[in-house]
Protein backbone atom coordinates (compact mmCIF):
# COMPACT_ATOMS: atom_id res chain seq x y z
CA UNK A 1 0.00 0.00 0.00
CA UNK A 2 1.23 3.49 -0.80
CA UNK A 3 1.34 5.31 2.49
CA UNK A 4 1.48 8.58 0.61
CA UNK A 5 4.80 9.57 2.06
CA UNK A 6 6.20 12.91 0.97
CA UNK A 7 9.42 13.17 -1.00
CA UNK A 8 11.14 14.51 2.13
CA UNK A 9 9.94 11.60 4.29
CA UNK A 10 11.13 9.05 1.73
CA UNK A 11 14.51 10.77 1.52
CA UNK A 12 14.86 10.74 5.31
CA UNK A 13 13.92 7.04 5.38
CA UNK A 14 16.41 6.24 2.62
CA UNK A 15 19.19 8.23 4.31
CA UNK A 16 18.53 6.45 7.61
CA UNK A 17 18.47 3.06 5.84
CA UNK A 18 21.80 3.64 4.14
CA UNK A 19 23.40 5.00 7.31
CA UNK A 20 22.11 2.04 9.33
CA UNK A 21 23.21 -0.57 6.80
CA UNK A 22 26.65 0.91 6.13
CA UNK A 23 27.67 2.35 9.49
CA UNK A 24 25.48 0.94 12.27
CA UNK A 25 25.06 -2.72 11.29
CA UNK A 26 28.79 -3.54 11.11
CA UNK A 27 29.43 -2.51 14.73
CA UNK A 28 26.08 -3.22 16.44
CA UNK A 29 27.04 -6.62 17.89
CA UNK A 30 30.33 -5.26 19.17
CA UNK A 31 28.65 -2.29 20.89
CA UNK A 32 26.38 -4.75 22.66
CA UNK A 33 29.24 -7.02 23.62
CA UNK A 34 31.39 -4.17 24.94
CA UNK A 35 28.51 -2.18 26.49
CA UNK A 36 29.94 0.78 24.58
CA UNK A 37 28.25 4.13 23.83
CA UNK A 38 28.58 4.68 20.05
CA UNK A 39 29.91 8.25 20.13
CA UNK A 40 31.00 8.00 16.49
CA UNK A 41 27.47 7.04 15.37
CA UNK A 42 25.94 9.85 17.42
CA UNK A 43 28.34 12.28 15.69
CA UNK A 44 27.24 10.95 12.29
CA UNK A 45 23.56 11.17 13.29
CA UNK A 46 24.21 14.82 14.21
CA UNK A 47 25.63 15.45 10.70
CA UNK A 48 22.59 13.78 9.14
CA UNK A 49 20.13 15.90 11.16
CA UNK A 50 18.84 12.92 13.18
CA UNK A 51 19.33 14.41 16.65
CA UNK A 52 16.60 17.03 16.30
CA UNK A 53 14.47 15.71 13.45
CA UNK A 54 11.26 17.60 14.29
CA UNK A 55 12.89 20.79 15.58
CA UNK A 56 12.73 23.88 13.32
CA UNK A 57 15.97 24.69 11.52
CA UNK A 58 16.27 28.05 13.33
CA UNK A 59 16.65 26.06 16.56
CA UNK A 60 19.28 23.69 15.21
CA UNK A 61 16.95 20.91 14.00
CA UNK A 62 16.16 19.33 10.65
CA UNK A 63 12.67 20.86 10.41
CA UNK A 64 11.09 17.50 9.55
CA UNK A 65 7.97 15.86 11.00
CA UNK A 66 7.14 12.98 13.34
CA UNK A 67 6.26 10.60 10.49
CA UNK A 68 9.76 11.07 9.07
CA UNK A 69 11.19 10.63 12.56
CA UNK A 70 9.37 7.27 12.95
CA UNK A 71 10.63 6.05 9.58
CA UNK A 72 14.22 6.96 10.50
CA UNK A 73 14.13 5.38 13.97
CA UNK A 74 12.72 2.12 12.55
CA UNK A 75 15.60 1.90 10.05
CA UNK A 76 18.21 2.46 12.76
CA UNK A 77 16.60 0.14 15.35
CA UNK A 78 16.45 -2.57 12.68
CA UNK A 79 20.21 -2.81 13.07
CA UNK A 80 20.85 -1.41 16.54
CA UNK A 81 18.17 -0.74 19.15
CA UNK A 82 20.75 1.00 21.36
CA UNK A 83 21.63 3.61 18.77
CA UNK A 84 17.92 4.15 18.12
CA UNK A 85 17.09 4.88 21.75
CA UNK A 86 19.98 7.34 22.13
CA UNK A 87 18.46 9.23 19.20
CA UNK A 88 14.89 8.85 20.49
CA UNK A 89 15.63 10.21 23.97
CA UNK A 90 17.47 13.25 22.62
CA UNK A 91 14.70 14.01 20.11
CA UNK A 92 11.51 13.18 21.98
CA UNK A 93 12.33 13.60 25.64
CA UNK A 94 14.72 16.55 25.49
CA UNK A 95 14.48 18.62 22.30
CA UNK A 96 10.69 18.37 22.02
CA UNK A 97 9.85 19.78 25.48
CA UNK A 98 12.55 22.45 25.15
CA UNK A 99 11.00 23.52 21.85
CA UNK A 100 7.48 23.55 23.31
CA UNK A 101 8.04 24.91 26.79
CA UNK A 102 11.51 26.55 26.78
CA UNK A 103 12.14 30.30 26.83
CA UNK A 104 14.07 31.98 24.01
CA UNK A 105 17.16 32.06 26.20
CA UNK A 106 16.83 28.35 27.08
CA UNK A 107 16.40 27.46 23.43
CA UNK A 108 19.47 29.46 22.49
CA UNK A 109 21.55 27.92 25.26
CA UNK A 110 20.32 24.32 25.03
CA UNK A 111 18.02 23.56 22.12
CA UNK A 112 20.38 24.70 19.36
CA UNK A 113 23.32 22.51 20.51
CA UNK A 114 21.03 19.58 21.39
CA UNK A 115 19.00 19.56 18.18
CA UNK A 116 22.14 19.92 16.07
CA UNK A 117 23.72 17.04 17.99
CA UNK A 118 26.62 19.04 19.43
CA UNK A 119 25.30 18.16 22.86
CA UNK A 120 23.35 15.17 24.14
CA UNK A 121 20.43 15.25 26.57
CA UNK A 122 18.53 13.01 28.95
CA UNK A 123 15.22 13.01 30.85
CA UNK A 124 14.89 12.23 34.54
CA UNK A 125 11.45 11.37 35.89
CA UNK A 126 11.86 7.86 37.37
CA UNK A 127 13.11 7.41 40.92
CA UNK A 128 13.94 4.37 43.05
CA UNK A 129 10.31 4.40 44.29
CA UNK A 130 8.54 6.30 41.53
CA UNK A 131 8.46 4.41 38.23
CA UNK A 132 4.95 3.68 36.98
CA UNK A 133 3.56 5.97 39.70
CA UNK A 134 5.42 8.95 38.30
CA UNK A 135 3.54 11.44 40.48
CA UNK A 136 5.06 9.93 43.65
CA UNK A 137 8.18 12.09 43.29
CA UNK A 138 10.54 12.14 46.26
CA UNK A 139 13.05 14.52 44.72
CA UNK A 140 12.37 17.80 46.45
CA UNK A 141 13.12 21.30 45.14
CA UNK A 142 12.95 23.84 47.97
CA UNK A 143 12.84 27.57 47.38
CA UNK A 144 15.87 29.23 49.03
CA UNK A 145 17.59 32.65 49.05
CA UNK A 146 14.32 34.52 49.40
CA UNK A 147 12.87 32.90 46.31
CA UNK A 148 15.77 33.44 43.93
CA UNK A 149 17.10 29.89 43.98
CA UNK A 150 15.93 26.27 44.30
CA UNK A 151 17.79 23.60 46.24
CA UNK A 152 17.27 20.06 44.94
CA UNK A 153 17.76 16.81 46.85
CA UNK A 154 16.91 13.31 45.64
CA UNK A 155 17.79 10.40 43.36
CA UNK A 156 16.76 9.61 39.79
CA UNK A 157 16.92 6.09 38.36
CA UNK A 158 17.53 4.38 35.00
CA UNK A 159 18.36 7.62 33.20
CA UNK A 160 19.11 6.74 29.57
CA UNK A 161 22.09 8.70 28.14
CA UNK A 162 23.00 10.16 31.58
CA UNK A 163 26.57 8.73 31.68
CA UNK A 164 27.39 10.50 28.40
CA UNK A 165 24.94 13.42 28.30
CA UNK A 166 25.55 17.14 28.77
CA UNK A 167 22.20 18.16 30.21
CA UNK A 168 19.17 16.66 31.92
CA UNK A 169 15.55 17.76 32.06
CA UNK A 170 14.71 16.68 35.58
CA UNK A 171 11.40 16.68 37.44
CA UNK A 172 11.11 17.46 41.15
CA UNK A 173 8.48 18.28 43.74
CA UNK A 174 8.33 22.02 44.42
CA UNK A 175 5.13 21.82 46.51
CA UNK A 176 4.31 18.44 48.04
CA UNK A 177 0.90 19.62 49.27
CA UNK A 178 -0.22 20.14 45.67
CA UNK A 179 0.55 16.58 44.51
CA UNK A 180 0.92 16.30 40.72
CA UNK A 181 0.33 20.05 40.46
CA UNK A 182 3.35 20.60 42.72
CA UNK A 183 5.88 19.06 40.33
CA UNK A 184 8.22 21.27 38.27
CA UNK A 185 10.73 20.66 35.49
CA UNK A 186 14.35 21.88 35.62
CA UNK A 187 17.12 22.09 33.01
CA UNK A 188 20.38 21.07 34.68
CA UNK A 189 23.89 20.82 33.18
CA UNK A 190 25.27 17.39 34.03
CA UNK A 191 28.86 18.54 34.04
CA UNK A 192 30.10 21.03 36.61
CA UNK A 193 26.92 21.30 38.69
CA UNK A 194 28.00 21.17 42.36
CA UNK A 195 26.12 18.47 44.29
CA UNK A 196 25.10 16.52 41.18
CA UNK A 197 26.81 13.14 40.80
CA UNK A 198 26.23 10.07 38.64
CA UNK A 199 26.11 6.43 39.68
CA UNK A 200 27.98 3.71 37.79
CA UNK A 201 26.54 2.67 34.41
CA UNK A 202 23.67 0.18 34.80
CA UNK A 203 24.38 -3.41 33.77
CA UNK A 204 21.50 -4.38 31.51
CA UNK A 205 19.91 -7.40 29.82
CA UNK A 206 19.72 -5.61 26.47
CA UNK A 207 20.30 -2.28 24.67
CA UNK A 208 23.81 -2.52 26.08
CA UNK A 209 25.19 0.12 23.71
CA UNK A 210 22.86 2.61 25.38
CA UNK A 211 24.15 3.72 28.74
CA UNK A 212 22.01 4.61 31.73
CA UNK A 213 22.67 5.35 35.39
CA UNK A 214 21.33 7.00 38.53
CA UNK A 215 21.59 10.74 39.13
CA UNK A 216 22.12 11.90 42.72
CA UNK A 217 21.24 15.43 43.81
CA UNK A 218 22.68 16.65 47.08
CA UNK A 219 21.89 20.32 47.77
CA UNK A 220 22.01 21.19 44.08
CA UNK A 221 21.33 24.91 43.77
CA UNK A 222 19.62 26.23 40.66
CA UNK A 223 18.46 29.69 39.61
CA UNK A 224 14.84 30.28 38.61
CA UNK A 225 16.01 30.47 35.00
CA UNK A 226 16.60 26.68 35.19
CA UNK A 227 12.82 26.09 35.40
CA UNK A 228 11.29 24.53 32.28
CA UNK A 229 7.81 26.04 32.02
CA UNK A 230 6.00 27.35 35.07
CA UNK A 231 6.31 26.19 38.67
CA UNK A 232 3.84 23.31 39.09
CA UNK A 233 3.57 22.59 35.35
CA UNK A 234 6.17 19.81 35.46
CA UNK A 235 3.90 16.75 35.53
CA UNK A 236 1.95 17.92 32.51
CA UNK A 237 5.18 18.69 30.65
CA UNK A 238 6.53 15.24 31.60
CA UNK A 239 3.34 13.46 30.43
CA UNK A 240 3.02 15.53 27.27
CA UNK A 241 6.67 14.71 26.53
CA UNK A 242 5.98 11.00 26.98
CA UNK A 243 3.08 11.20 24.51
CA UNK A 244 5.75 11.96 21.92
CA UNK A 245 8.41 9.71 23.43
CA UNK A 246 6.17 6.65 23.24
CA UNK A 247 5.97 7.12 19.45
CA UNK A 248 9.77 6.93 19.31
CA UNK A 249 9.82 3.74 21.39
CA UNK A 250 7.06 2.24 19.22
CA UNK A 251 9.28 2.97 16.19
CA UNK A 252 12.24 1.37 17.94
CA UNK A 253 10.09 -1.74 18.56
CA UNK A 254 9.13 -1.79 14.85
CA UNK A 255 12.81 -1.90 13.93
CA UNK A 256 13.47 -4.80 16.30
CA UNK A 257 10.40 -6.73 15.04
CA UNK A 258 11.40 -6.14 11.43
CA UNK A 259 14.94 -7.37 12.08
CA UNK A 260 13.53 -10.53 13.67
CA UNK A 261 11.13 -11.13 10.77
CA UNK A 262 13.71 -10.51 8.05
CA UNK A 263 16.27 -12.78 9.72
CA UNK A 264 13.60 -15.50 10.13
CA UNK A 265 12.56 -15.38 6.47
CA UNK A 266 16.17 -15.55 5.26
CA UNK A 267 17.04 -18.40 7.59
CA UNK A 268 13.85 -20.34 6.79
CA UNK A 269 14.72 -20.31 3.09
CA UNK A 270 18.29 -21.51 3.72
CA UNK A 271 17.97 -24.01 6.54
CA UNK A 272 16.79 -27.50 5.70
CA UNK A 273 15.16 -30.15 7.87
CA UNK A 274 13.35 -33.37 6.98
CA UNK A 275 14.70 -33.07 3.43
CA UNK A 276 13.41 -29.58 2.59
CA UNK A 277 13.89 -25.91 3.51
CA UNK A 278 12.15 -25.21 6.81
CA UNK A 279 10.20 -22.49 4.93
CA UNK A 280 8.17 -25.34 3.49
CA UNK A 281 6.98 -26.45 6.93
CA UNK A 282 3.65 -25.00 7.89
CA UNK A 283 4.84 -24.51 11.48
CA UNK A 284 7.35 -21.95 10.18
CA UNK A 285 4.97 -20.41 7.64
CA UNK A 286 2.42 -19.61 10.33
CA UNK A 287 5.04 -17.96 12.51
CA UNK A 288 6.33 -15.62 9.77
CA UNK A 289 2.78 -14.88 8.62
CA UNK A 290 1.82 -13.75 12.14
CA UNK A 291 5.03 -11.77 12.55
CA UNK A 292 4.47 -9.89 9.27
CA UNK A 293 0.81 -9.18 9.99
CA UNK A 294 1.48 -7.89 13.48
CA UNK A 295 4.41 -5.78 12.30
CA UNK A 296 2.26 -4.05 9.68
CA UNK A 297 -0.51 -3.43 12.21
CA UNK A 298 2.01 -1.99 14.70
CA UNK A 299 3.48 0.25 12.02
CA UNK A 300 0.05 1.61 11.08
CA UNK A 301 -0.72 2.39 14.73
CA UNK A 302 2.63 4.14 15.08
CA UNK A 303 2.19 6.19 11.91
CA UNK A 304 -1.32 7.16 13.03
CA UNK A 305 0.02 8.50 16.34
CA UNK A 306 2.83 10.31 14.49
CA UNK A 307 0.39 11.84 12.00
CA UNK A 308 -1.85 13.06 14.82
CA UNK A 309 1.15 14.65 16.54
CA UNK A 310 2.12 16.34 13.27
CA UNK A 311 -1.43 17.70 12.92
CA UNK A 312 -1.26 19.15 16.43
CA UNK A 313 -4.01 16.81 17.69
CA UNK A 314 -3.99 15.32 21.19
CA UNK A 315 -2.60 11.82 20.75
CA UNK A 316 -2.25 10.44 24.28
CA UNK A 317 -4.17 7.15 23.83
CA UNK A 318 -2.97 6.71 20.24
CA UNK A 319 0.68 6.92 21.36
CA UNK A 320 -0.03 4.51 24.21
CA UNK A 321 -1.70 2.04 21.79
CA UNK A 322 1.20 2.27 19.36
CA UNK A 323 3.80 1.73 22.08
CA UNK A 324 1.82 -1.04 23.78
CA UNK A 325 1.18 -2.98 20.60
CA UNK A 326 4.53 -2.42 18.87
CA UNK A 327 6.50 -3.40 21.98
CA UNK A 328 4.51 -6.60 22.44
CA UNK A 329 4.86 -7.38 18.71
CA UNK A 330 8.65 -6.90 18.96
CA UNK A 331 8.80 -9.32 21.87
CA UNK A 332 6.70 -11.96 20.13
CA UNK A 333 8.64 -11.56 16.87
CA UNK A 334 12.04 -11.82 18.57
CA UNK A 335 10.91 -14.85 20.59
CA UNK A 336 9.67 -16.62 17.44
CA UNK A 337 12.84 -15.72 15.55
CA UNK A 338 14.95 -17.41 18.23
CA UNK A 339 12.64 -20.42 17.99
CA UNK A 340 12.96 -20.59 14.20
CA UNK A 341 16.75 -20.42 14.49
CA UNK A 342 16.64 -23.20 17.11
CA UNK A 343 19.96 -23.80 18.86
CA UNK A 344 21.67 -21.19 16.65
CA UNK A 345 19.17 -18.60 17.83
CA UNK A 346 20.42 -19.05 21.36
CA UNK A 347 23.97 -18.15 20.38
CA UNK A 348 25.28 -14.60 20.32
CA UNK A 349 26.56 -15.33 16.77
CA UNK A 350 23.19 -14.35 15.29
CA UNK A 351 21.46 -10.96 15.79
CA UNK A 352 18.15 -12.61 16.80
CA UNK A 353 19.66 -13.34 20.23
CA UNK A 354 20.32 -9.59 20.66
CA UNK A 355 16.87 -8.73 19.25
CA UNK A 356 15.32 -10.96 21.92
CA UNK A 357 17.20 -9.20 24.75
CA UNK A 358 16.71 -5.71 23.26
CA UNK A 359 12.96 -6.17 22.71
CA UNK A 360 12.17 -6.58 26.41
CA UNK A 361 12.92 -2.98 27.43
CA UNK A 362 10.36 -1.62 24.94
CA UNK A 363 7.64 -3.10 27.16
CA UNK A 364 9.10 -1.31 30.19
CA UNK A 365 10.58 2.13 29.56
CA UNK A 366 8.56 5.27 28.84
CA UNK A 367 5.72 3.50 30.64
CA UNK A 368 5.23 -0.23 31.04
CA UNK A 369 2.60 -2.11 29.02
CA UNK A 370 0.44 -1.97 32.14
CA UNK A 371 0.75 1.84 32.25
CA UNK A 372 -0.15 2.08 28.53
CA UNK A 373 -3.31 0.08 29.27
CA UNK A 374 -4.12 2.48 32.15
CA UNK A 375 -3.75 5.44 29.76
CA UNK A 376 -5.89 3.80 27.05
CA UNK A 377 -8.60 2.74 29.51
CA UNK A 378 -8.66 6.15 31.22
CA UNK A 379 -9.40 7.73 27.86
CA UNK A 380 -12.24 5.25 27.16
CA UNK A 381 -13.82 5.37 30.59
CA UNK A 382 -13.77 9.10 31.31
CA UNK A 383 -17.10 10.73 32.23
N1 LIG B 1 -0.58 15.31 28.69
C1 LIG B 1 -0.82 16.42 29.46
N2 LIG B 1 -1.29 16.33 30.73
C2 LIG B 1 -1.53 15.09 31.23
C3 LIG B 1 -1.31 13.93 30.48
C4 LIG B 1 -0.81 14.06 29.16
N3 LIG B 1 -0.58 13.00 28.39
N4 LIG B 1 -1.62 12.85 31.24
C5 LIG B 1 -2.04 13.32 32.41
N5 LIG B 1 -1.98 14.67 32.41
C6 LIG B 1 -2.40 15.58 33.48
C7 LIG B 1 -3.86 15.32 33.83
O1 LIG B 1 -4.73 16.09 33.01
C8 LIG B 1 -3.91 15.77 35.27
O2 LIG B 1 -4.00 17.19 35.33
P1 LIG B 1 -5.02 17.94 36.34
O3 LIG B 1 -4.52 17.59 37.70
O4 LIG B 1 -4.86 19.37 35.99
O5 LIG B 1 -6.36 17.36 36.04
C9 LIG B 1 -2.54 15.38 35.80
O6 LIG B 1 -1.68 15.29 34.67
C10 LIG B 1 -2.56 14.07 36.54
O7 LIG B 1 -3.06 13.07 35.68
P2 LIG B 1 -3.48 11.62 36.21
O8 LIG B 1 -4.43 11.79 37.36
O9 LIG B 1 -3.90 10.80 35.04
O10 LIG B 1 -2.07 11.10 36.81
P3 LIG B 1 -1.70 9.77 37.57
O11 LIG B 1 -0.89 10.11 38.75
O12 LIG B 1 -2.92 8.93 37.75
O13 LIG B 1 -0.67 9.08 36.53
C11 LIG B 1 0.03 7.57 34.79
C12 LIG B 1 -1.04 8.52 35.39
C13 LIG B 1 -0.46 7.43 33.35
C14 LIG B 1 0.10 6.22 35.46
C15 LIG B 1 1.42 8.26 34.81
O14 LIG B 1 1.95 8.31 36.12
C16 LIG B 1 2.43 7.57 33.91
O15 LIG B 1 2.45 7.78 32.69
N6 LIG B 1 3.31 6.73 34.50
C17 LIG B 1 4.42 6.11 33.78
C18 LIG B 1 5.60 7.03 33.76
C19 LIG B 1 6.55 6.69 32.69
O16 LIG B 1 6.21 6.47 31.55
N7 LIG B 1 7.82 6.69 33.07
C20 LIG B 1 8.86 6.44 32.13
C21 LIG B 1 10.08 7.14 32.57
S1 LIG B 1 10.95 7.89 31.29
C22 LIG B 1 11.89 6.74 30.54
O17 LIG B 1 11.70 5.57 30.63
C23 LIG B 1 12.88 7.39 29.67
C24 LIG B 1 14.06 6.62 29.31
O18 LIG B 1 15.06 6.60 30.00
C25 LIG B 1 14.09 6.01 27.95
Amino acid sequence: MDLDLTEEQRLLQQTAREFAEREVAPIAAKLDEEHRHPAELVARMAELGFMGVGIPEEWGGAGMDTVGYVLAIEEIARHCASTAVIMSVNNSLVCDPLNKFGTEAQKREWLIPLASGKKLGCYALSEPNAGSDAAAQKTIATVVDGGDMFELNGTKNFITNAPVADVVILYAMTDQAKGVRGISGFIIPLKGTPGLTLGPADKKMGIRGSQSCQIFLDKVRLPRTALLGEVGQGFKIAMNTLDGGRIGIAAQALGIARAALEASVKYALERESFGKPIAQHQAIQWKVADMATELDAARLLTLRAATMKDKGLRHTPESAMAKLFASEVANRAAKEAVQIFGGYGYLADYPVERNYRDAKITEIYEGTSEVQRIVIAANLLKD
Side-chain angles (χ1 to χ4, degrees):
M1 187 185 98
D2 182 5
L3 283 172
D4 227 8
L5 298 177
T6 64
E7 207 43 56
E8 268 190 320
Q9 289 162 346
R10 282 189 199 284
L11 187 64
L12 180 59
Q13 183 183 41
Q14 187 58 31
T15 306
R17 184 172 301 162
E18 286 170 13
F19 163 68
E21 283 172 358
R22 288 185 198 153
E23 299 177 56
V24 180
I27 62 169
K30 201 100 181 113
L31 293 173
D32 172 72
E33 199 181 310
E34 295 172 356
H35 297 232
R36 183 172 75 77
H37 169 74
E40 70 277 38
L41 296 181
V42 175
R44 281 287 292 134
M45 291 198 291
E47 284 172 12
L48 295 168
F50 292 173
M51 298 309 281
V53 176
I55 303 302
E57 289 176 34
E58 60 169 316
W59 295 119
M64 289 285 304
D65 56 15
T66 318
V67 168
Y69 171 60
V70 162
L71 300 171
I73 295 243
E74 177 183 330
E75 294 298 332
I76 293 166
R78 177 179 167 227
H79 293 291
C80 180
S82 297
T83 305
V85 77
I86 296 167
M87 172 181 164
S88 176
V89 166
N90 195 72
N91 274 270
S92 303
L93 301 188
V94 186
C95 290
D96 230 25
L98 275 171
N99 188 38
K100 268 192 211 142
F101 303 102
T103 61
E104 288 261 330
Q106 288 170 339
K107 288 188 191 182
R108 256 195 308 278
E109 184 176 4
W110 292 113
L111 185 55
I112 292 176
L114 285 161
S116 58
K118 291 187 180 66
K119 289 195 188 303
L120 189 67
C122 59
Y123 168 99
L125 179 67
S126 300
E127 298 186 353
N129 292 304
S132 291
D133 186 4
Q137 295 282 307
K138 292 282 179 288
T139 298
I140 306 292
T142 315
V143 175
V144 292
D145 288 356
D148 287 344
M149 302 284 283
F150 289 93
E151 185 184 282
L152 276 71
N153 288 286
T155 301
K156 295 290 173 181
N157 258 37
F158 317 123
I159 309 305
T160 303
N161 288 353
V164 287
D166 299 283
V167 63
V168 58
I169 296 183
L170 184 143
Y171 297 90
M173 199 54 106
T174 39
D175 188 343
Q176 282 172 281
K178 290 191 175 154
V180 285
R181 294 181 190 180
I183 294 170
S184 306
F186 294 89
I187 307 167
I188 316 178
L190 278 170
K191 291 163 191 159
T193 297
L196 186 153
T197 50
L198 302 179
D202 297 327
K203 293 195 176 119
K204 297 186 287 203
M205 173 195 282
I207 56 160
R208 291 176 173 171
S210 152
Q211 302 204 342
S212 63
C213 70
Q214 289 185 298
I215 298 179
F216 303 109
L217 303 132
D218 180 18
K219 300 195 184 101
V220 169
R221 291 171 75 86
L222 300 172
R224 279 196 165 263
T225 50
L227 273 171
L228 178 64
E230 305 292 322
V231 171
Q233 206 192 352
F235 194 74
K236 287 194 181 184
I237 295 176
M239 290 299 118
N240 180 278
T241 299
L242 286 169
D243 287 345
R246 288 167 183 164
I247 298 176
I249 301 306
Q252 182 199 26
L254 295 179
I256 298 170
R258 185 163 139 218
L261 171 63
E262 289 172 351
S264 299
V265 166
K266 185 167 182 292
Y267 187 75
L269 291 168
E270 289 166 358
R271 171 79 177 174
E272 294 196 355
S273 74
F274 303 99
K276 54 186 178 186
I278 62 170
Q280 290 179 25
H281 296 304
Q282 204 172 50
I284 303 296
Q285 293 167 0
W286 287 19
K287 285 189 199 302
V288 295
D290 285 349
M291 286 157 80
T293 307
E294 291 193 348
L295 172 58
D296 274 9
R299 190 180 287 113
L300 291 173
L301 280 177
T302 308
L303 290 173
R304 176 182 69 166
T307 303
M308 289 179 73
K309 182 168 188 282
D310 286 336
K311 286 183 188 288
L313 301 169
R314 177 101 189 231
H315 53 93
T316 303
E318 289 79 10
S319 290
M321 285 182 192
K323 200 258 189 195
L324 169 65
F325 192 69
S327 63
E328 296 193 347
V329 164
N331 277 272
R332 279 195 291 274
K335 176 172 167 281
E336 292 297 17
V338 171
Q339 195 66 17
I340 290 169
F341 273 69
Y344 292 110
Y346 203 68
L347 303 184
D349 306 18
Y350 290 90
V352 292
E353 180 266 350
R354 177 162 46 91
N355 296 154
Y356 189 50
R357 289 185 289 102
D358 286 350
K360 187 58 207 170
I361 191 62
T362 65
E363 291 179 329
I364 298 173
Y365 59 19
E366 302 204 24
T368 59
S369 294
E370 291 74 13
V371 161
Q372 307 312 324
R373 289 185 168 93
I374 289 173
V375 171
I376 297 161
N379 184 67
L380 290 169
L381 302 171
K382 63 186 176 213
D383 300 330

